Amino acid sequence: MTIEGHPRGPSEIEDVDPNGDTEAPPLSFDELPLPEPVRAGIRHAGFTECTPIQAKVLPLSLGGRDVAGQAQTGTGKTAAFLITVFTRLLESGKTRRPAAPRALVIAPTRELAVQIAKDAEVLGHGNGLTVQAVYGGVDYRKQRESLRQDVDLLVGTPGRLIDYLKQKVYDLRAIEVLVIDEADRMFDMGFIRDLRFLLRRCSPVTERQSMLFSATLSHDVLELAYMFMNDAVRVAVKPEQVTAERVQHLLLHVGVHEKFSALLGILEREGAERTLIFSNMRRTADDLCRTLSINGYTAEQITGDIDQRKRLKILESFRDGTLPILVATDVASRGLHIDGVTHVINFDLPLDPEDYVHRVGRTARAGASGTAISLACERYVDSLEAIEGLIGFKIPFEFPDESLLRSFKPAPRQPRRREGGPRRDGRDSREGRGGRDSRGGPRRRSTPFDSPPPADPSSERRADKAREGEEGDPAAKPGRSRGRRRSGERADGAAGKPSQASATPPAPMNEAASAAEGSATGQAPAKKRRRRRRRRGGGSAPEGAASETAARDAGSSD
């Protein structure tokens, strides 16, 4: 399936509207040269008209061209490459062989791999092609045994694909169509070496059709397309074409200690039926979920440390509407197509501007409308400028008043489990050390679930020092070791002069020095004086100095 006049070998990437400036004309699936089983699958999925990215990609990919597409999430690019894959496999006429998949789709995350496999089952309804998904966390042996059978379309994550490939469970030399989805995410997650490992073991570029999709076609992504694709055509769809008109953006400037109070006010004001809340860290997601639950909201979380089976169960509950609130990190910000998400709330502004686009893309899918609300606190507000620069417009903002903030009951703190084990010196690597508290964990930063700190945290320390000064020893001198004595005392003791300190302490050299000393430092409390007296009693100081010190201490205690 080649186009005449196009060489079958690596060449410069051809740009066909690389900036998405040209809007694709309306295109119906009935106008495309599709086999009847593929048309039946499209009707089963309920599709009639092509989306902008489908209208640009399908005429090229159905003609056999390699395509590098730039489009945001939720634009229909999954259906674009699945329709191409099914058409190619049905028209090639090649027979399948055991443990030799004919098409490969590589996805960066487990959730995205599962979603692609589900979409393939819907679009491939009744076409006779088999789909197998492999990903980490579940069914290791079951996936391996299924992969040994006849597989037409294999969908997987890089880690599990390489694991089975090194065990020689399957072979990639029979690949007819290769698809790389979310290529920019592959680079962000450090999968580029794994990706190159897989691509080098596929069939040659002249014997397969390759497709690549990414939210941004950076230099690294284009280099990957140049090396492992054949005369690729670059197409793009503007981000504002697909999200800005259907998503209502709003930004609330709040303090870090007001965030959860504002979140409760937003949930009460908006009356959201199905809400997705994003945080930057797993710890914050856990605190959010527990605090929401204790304040009367039904919520679950999906983060990287949640078991895969539980994650799939939670996603299914959120998808069918039994779970109204889902708290997640960026593990869920790409590739999940969940109908009916009315609100996306960024509890934390994302550090990566592209993650904002992917988070917001969870709502307003398939022509629906949605609302994206972000809470900007002093901890993450620095990323706002980069986010607005990427999306191309200023996000409308508000300063919430007291009517929006709600009081809440904080969830009890849970001990943080630290990773680690015994060290060579016999200590556990989880034990406390410099910069950590007495429980062995890091010093806990303030969170949105704590009460606000005092206006001046150092006021208590200054008060303690003032109290010590009121009870201290007039003869104590700042910055001196407890065992040191004044030079005058050593001279008197060495000369054997009788001590006059039993009645009054030794006078300073002048009144200015005495005033400066008394005003700049506190004085040692009585407990320290007794400890110092006991230590000096058994020391090796000269007899005169020891008697003078004891006499001075006795006089000052009077």
Side-chain angles (χ1 to χ4, degrees), residues 29 66 156 202 223 233 276 280 352 354 385-386 388 407 455 475-476 484 508 526 553:
F29 287 104
D66 288 4
C202 291
E223 181 184 13
V233 180
L276 188 55
N280 288 346
D352 187 351
E354 295 179 5
E385 182 179 358
E388 292 178 336
S407 60
R484 290 188 59 182
D553 289 340

Side-chain angles (χ1 to χ4, degrees), residues 1 34 145 214 217 244 308 361 377 402 482 489 504 506 543 546 556:
M1 299 179 63
L34 301 173
E145 294 304 319
S214 176
L217 291 179
Q308 183 64 26
C377 65
E402 294 296 331
R482 294 176 179 174
E489 296 172 63
T504 58
E543 181 179 358
S556 61

Side-chain angles (χ1 to χ4, degrees), residues 252-270 277 284 287-288 291-292 295 297 345-348 373-377 399-411 447-452:
L252 297 179
H253 287 282
V254 295
V256 66
H257 296 287
E258 300 173 330
K259 292 176 72 173
F260 192 79
S261 299
L263 176 63
L264 292 182
I266 292 171
L267 294 175
E268 182 179 331
R269 182 186 68 182
E270 299 289 332
I277 304 175
T284 306
D287 290 338
L288 264 174
T291 310
L292 283 171
N295 284 274
Y297 290 89
I345 300 177
N346 291 312
F347 190 77
D348 298 327
I373 302 176
S374 302
L375 302 180
C377 65
F399 291 92
D401 53 15
E402 294 296 331
S403 62
L404 181 66
L405 304 181
R406 298 290 185 270
S407 60
F408 64 94
K409 180 180 179 181
T447 71
F449 313 97
D450 296 334
S451 58

Side-chain angles (χ1 to χ4, degrees), residues 359-379:
R359 290 181 181 185
V360 172
R362 300 308 99 207
T363 186
R365 299 179 71 90
S369 60
T371 303
I373 302 176
S374 302
L375 302 180
C377 65
E378 59 269 25
R379 192 170 294 170

